[in-house]
């Protein structure tokens, strides 16, 4: 029995050393997290992420002006608090995603690619959550905040019109143009420079026969249709 236990322990040790990626698998963020004084701050997280990327990719240095950088603190799906740092090279080069523990700064996950890091992220999220159009409002807001263009994590509260109501308003707005519409939607903060206007909106995609045909922005406070965009064919 002792010999068998020793053999099992040896096999586990070999697996851990031969396949370190098992301890470096992707962890899903679930919520934004506050940062306390005794935890890693953004500047330290970014420095650690740069160093990790330079070491792993054997890069002598990283010119930050050539990167789109997103760094935010989150709760992960395992309950751990972490910094998620995305280094997205603006030209042709290596992108990286580095997830660091907010306590101690050890690397939880690392992934680099010579294509687009967002392609890797979309693959991970769609494999877990399904097609993007089926993601929850919360998941969409989190993804856009961490990896997209959103500078804030924005989700609706009870002061805004309900998602279902916004979708009904949007479908009614195109009812003369689309015979059998269905809808999916996300919650966004939008700026309209031509109208000198900004507001929270439900961005409602109108579908017909599996095709995206219109995009309707519905003011999340008033329910007014702000903009309607044609997406496919003649609508």
């Amino acid at each position: 029995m002792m010999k068998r236990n020793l053999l099992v322990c040896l096999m586990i040790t070999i697996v851990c050393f031969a396949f370190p990626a098992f301890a470096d698998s992707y962890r899903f963020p679930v919520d934004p997290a506050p940062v306390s004084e005794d935890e890693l701050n953004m500047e330290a997280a970014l420095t650690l992420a740069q160093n990790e990327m330079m070491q792993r990719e054997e890069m002598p240095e990283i010119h930050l002006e050539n990167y789109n950088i997103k760094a935010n603190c989150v709760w992960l799906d395992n309950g751990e608090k972490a910094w998620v740092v995305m280094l997205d090279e603006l030209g042709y080069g290596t992108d990286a995603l580095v997830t660091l523990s907010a306590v101690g700064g050890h690397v939880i996950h690392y992934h680099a690619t010579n294509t687009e890091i967002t392609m890797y992220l979309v693959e991970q999220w769609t494999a877990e959550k399904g097609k993007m159009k089926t993601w929850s409002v919360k998941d969409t807001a989190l993804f856009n905040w961490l990896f997209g263009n959103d500078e804030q994590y924005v989700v609706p509260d009870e002061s805004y019109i309900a998602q279902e109501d916004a979708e009904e308003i949007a479908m009614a707005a195109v009812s003369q143009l689309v015979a059998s519409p269905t809808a999916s939607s996300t919650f966004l903060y939008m700026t309209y420079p031509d109208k000198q206007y900004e507001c929270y909106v439900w961005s409602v995609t109108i579908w017909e026969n599996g095709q995206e045909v219109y995009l309707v922005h519905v003011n999340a406070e008033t329910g007014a249709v702000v903009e309607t965009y044609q997406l496919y064919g003649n609508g």
Side-chain angles (χ1 to χ4, degrees):
M1 179 63 70
M2 183 178 293
K3 183 177 180 181
R4 181 181 177 185
N5 289 343
L6 287 172
L7 179 60
V8 170
C9 291
L10 179 61
M11 290 176 65
I12 291 172
T13 302
I14 292 172
V15 168
C16 289
F17 278 100
F19 303 102
F22 284 175
D24 200 23
S25 57
Y26 185 77
R27 305 289 338 177
F28 285 91
V30 294
D31 279 304
V35 182
S36 62
E37 292 182 359
D38 59 342
E39 293 174 332
L40 210 64
N41 60 30
M42 181 183 291
E43 183 178 357
L46 182 54
T47 298
L48 287 173
Q50 293 175 61
N51 291 340
E52 190 70 21
M53 184 178 182
M54 287 189 293
Q55 180 180 347
R56 294 207 190 199
E57 308 309 317
E58 299 182 347
M59 302 169 69
E61 60 181 328
I62 294 176
H63 299 286
L64 293 184
E65 65 272 14
N66 297 329
Y67 284 80
N68 174 33
I69 300 168
K70 300 293 290 279
N72 290 293
C73 192
V74 299
W75 292 108
L76 298 177
D77 55 2
N78 64 351
E80 189 170 4
K81 189 188 291 188
W83 280 95
V84 175
V85 182
M86 183 183 74
L87 297 158
D88 184 5
E89 222 282 337
L90 296 174
Y92 295 100
T94 302
D95 298 349
L97 178 75
V98 189
T99 305
L100 304 159
S101 172
V103 179
H106 68 268
V107 177
I108 297 170
H109 170 262
Y110 177 90
H111 181 83
T113 176
N114 289 323
T115 56
E116 280 289 331
I117 193 66
T118 49
M119 292 175 61
Y120 164 76
L121 289 161
V122 169
E123 287 176 1
Q124 295 294 316
W125 282 56
T126 53
E128 177 74 12
K129 302 173 186 294
K131 294 181 179 179
M132 293 182 75
K133 69 177 183 178
T134 67
W135 292 1
S136 69
V137 170
K138 180 180 175 181
D139 283 340
T140 301
L142 198 58
F143 188 92
N144 290 338
W145 176 58
L146 291 173
F147 314 120
N149 295 324
D150 292 359
E151 295 301 321
Q152 300 179 41
Y153 172 71
V154 179
V155 291
D157 57 30
E158 294 180 356
S159 66
Y160 299 103
I161 66 172
Q163 182 178 12
E164 295 80 5
D165 294 338
E167 291 179 357
E168 288 183 7
I169 291 168
M171 286 191 289
V174 298
S175 60
Q176 300 299 314
L177 304 169
V178 183
S180 302
T182 58
S184 60
S185 57
T186 58
F187 190 78
L188 303 171
Y189 186 78
M190 293 294 299
T191 300
Y192 303 91
D194 56 333
K195 296 182 176 182
Q196 297 184 346
Y197 181 68
E198 55 188 29
C199 64
Y200 289 102
V201 301
W202 285 103
S203 179
V204 183
T205 302
I206 303 298
W207 299 75
E208 184 177 37
N209 300 324
Q211 297 283 353
E212 300 176 345
V213 289
Y214 283 95
L215 183 67
V216 182
H217 285 179
V218 178
N219 187 306
E221 293 181 295
T222 67
V225 173
V226 182
E227 290 282 5
T228 301
Y229 307 94
Q230 187 175 355
L231 300 178
Y232 174 80
N234 295 320

